Amino acid sequence: MPQVQNSGGPVLANAAVIPVTFPMPDGGADPLAAMADAFVAALPGTAFSRMAQEYGVQSLSAQPPIHSTLRLPATVDDALLQDQLPKELAGGLDGFRSPPAEALYVLFTPPGVTVTASGQSGCADFGGYHSAVRLSGSAKVAYAVAVRCPGGFNGESESDAITAVASHEILESASDPYYVLDAPAWANVDDAALAFGLLFGGEIADLCLNSLPAFYTPPDLPYVVQRTWSNQAARARQDPCVPAPTSGVPYFQSVPELPAATAVKLAGMTVDTAGLSLAVGQTVTVPIDLYSPTPTGAPWSLDVLPLSSGSVRWTLDQDQGVDGDQLHLTLTLVKKGSVQGEVGLEAIGVHSRLGDRDQIWPVLIETP
């Protein structure tokens, strides 16, 4: 399984989490502001607050909330936050105050405000993100944005979505706070698992968004939060997204046997990774090993998802199985495609399903 790597950047060992809410565009109060405050206030001492300890994040503390008087425009791009946040903090403007050590500001945007970043739009393309700004001298501050989506996001209701998204961004901000300013911290997977990082993201919460169920309500925290990736669990061949669900279908996975040193060209570099190399018209058969550390009680089903331009034909010799079975996936490259703008790559996902469990193992295909 993948292992998340530290690229040398710092973490927030004792993250000081500060919820920030804003008035709605018409000046009215955000109806979920009190819930956002209560969510952050409830985090310290919970199992969730210790989720990233293996990455050096020892604790989360809840700082007094900021109820900013700043009225955000109808559309807020991250460039505006990058410009405005240092001014607000330096001047103590609109309810902001000087940041404590290892500060992490969680900005809960109100209804009626659209957030954009890197050419993408909140709710349509993302539910939140995290970044950082540089203050005077060498001071840096991490911040996360939880976007308000009418009707909810990623299958969660509007109220559950903001805590689910905020939990995702808090863990990633704490374990990789300043990647836009300095070296990333826990931000990328090992080269062998390049497909996971490229297609799902290499940070500790990103890796678990495609392993369903991704969200849960902990017994010691009455809010929906996200499961997160554990290198320790992955090395032990257990469910890598922790905590593992205590009820329902146990963890299972379908793992393709791939050449370990496929040369993939990415951003002008060549990376040796687990993947395939196929010419147009070429066919290859890949063994798929089925694994579950605990019996699932029933076979799980398999199919293949296109994760890029869909230029691969496929067949499976069986469409279900259990731990210890080996299936065979036959692939034919129809034409050259691209993955996230990288021409000469294709991607598929070996997709496994049983009950409320849904797993995807991505496969990169280099197309010479």
Side-chain angles (χ1 to χ4, degrees):
M1 294 186 195
Q3 290 286 287
V4 184
Q5 309 286 300
N6 189 312
S7 298
V11 303
L12 303 180
N14 298 285
V17 186
I18 307 153
V20 182
T21 54
F22 302 88
M24 295 195 297
D26 63 3
D30 181 345
L32 294 182
M35 191 193 78
D37 293 348
F39 166 67
V40 172
L43 294 179
T46 64
F48 176 84
S49 72
R50 299 184 291 272
M51 291 276 279
Q53 283 187 342
E54 68 179 277
Y55 305 107
V57 180
Q58 296 304 314
S59 68
L60 302 176
S61 67
Q63 303 299 305
I66 292 174
H67 299 150
S68 178
T69 57
L70 176 65
R71 284 201 200 180
L72 299 173
T75 298
V76 176
D77 188 73
D78 186 59
L80 175 64
L81 297 178
Q82 288 277 321
D83 177 69
Q84 190 69 24
L85 191 55
K87 297 175 183 176
E88 299 285 327
L89 293 171
L93 306 176
D94 302 309
F96 282 83
R97 54 183 180 268
S98 296
E102 298 190 284
L104 168 53
Y105 290 87
V106 185
L107 312 180
F108 293 90
T109 58
V113 171
T114 298
V115 179
T116 57
S118 302
Q120 296 187 316
S121 182
C123 299
D125 301 307
F126 60 84
Y129 66 93
H130 69 99
S131 190
V133 292
R134 195 177 298 280
L135 306 182
S136 60
S138 60
K140 297 170 287 192
V141 165
Y143 68 93
V145 179
V147 178
R148 190 69 52 82
C149 299
F153 182 77
N154 212 21
E156 301 296 325
S157 68
E158 184 173 335
S159 58
D160 287 345
I162 66 168
T163 62
V165 168
S167 71
H168 174 120
E169 302 303 338
I170 286 170
L171 291 175
E172 290 190 343
S173 294
S175 59
D176 185 28
Y178 308 128
Y179 71 97
V180 297
L181 302 176
D182 297 306
W186 298 95
N188 298 292
V189 294
D190 56 298
D191 285 350
L194 176 64
F196 284 83
L198 184 61
L199 294 160
F200 298 158
E203 293 185 317
I204 63 173
D206 289 336
L207 284 166
C208 289
L209 270 178
N210 290 284
S211 183
L212 304 182
F215 304 107
Y216 69 107
T217 302
D220 60 351
L221 185 65
Y223 299 98
V224 173
V225 295
Q226 193 196 305
R227 298 163 66 212
T228 194
W229 187 271
S230 167
N231 278 348
Q232 294 174 357
R235 286 194 296 270
R237 302 182 75 223
Q238 300 296 313
D239 189 339
C241 295
V242 297
T246 56
S247 62
V249 178
Y251 175 71
F252 58 86
Q253 187 56 275
S254 304
V255 184
E257 292 186 14
L258 302 170
T262 299
V264 171
K265 294 179 180 179
L266 190 67
M269 300 183 297
T270 300
V271 179
D272 287 338
T273 187
L276 297 171
S277 181
L278 286 179
V280 174
Q282 185 178 356
T283 297
V284 66
T285 297
V286 178
I288 306 292
D289 299 323
L290 274 56
Y291 169 73
S292 61
T294 303
T296 56
W300 62 88
S301 64
L302 285 89
D303 61 3
V304 173
L305 301 177
L307 298 180
S308 54
S309 51
S311 301
V312 178
R313 288 200 305 264
W314 63 271
T315 57
L316 279 165
D317 63 345
Q318 300 178 64
D319 62 2
Q320 63 177 8
V322 296
D323 177 56
D325 287 350
Q326 185 177 82
L327 282 61
H328 295 87
L329 170 64
T330 300
L331 302 169
T332 301
L333 182 65
V334 178
K335 61 180 180 180
K336 286 193 175 186
S338 65
V339 175
Q340 297 184 3
E342 294 287 342
V343 178
L345 286 180
E346 266 292 346
I348 60 169
V350 178
H351 181 211
S352 307
R353 291 172 296 169
L354 177 60
D356 62 351
R357 281 278 197 168
D358 199 300
Q359 309 281 115
I360 300 174
W361 191 284
V363 178
L364 277 181
I365 303 170
E366 187 265 343
T367 60

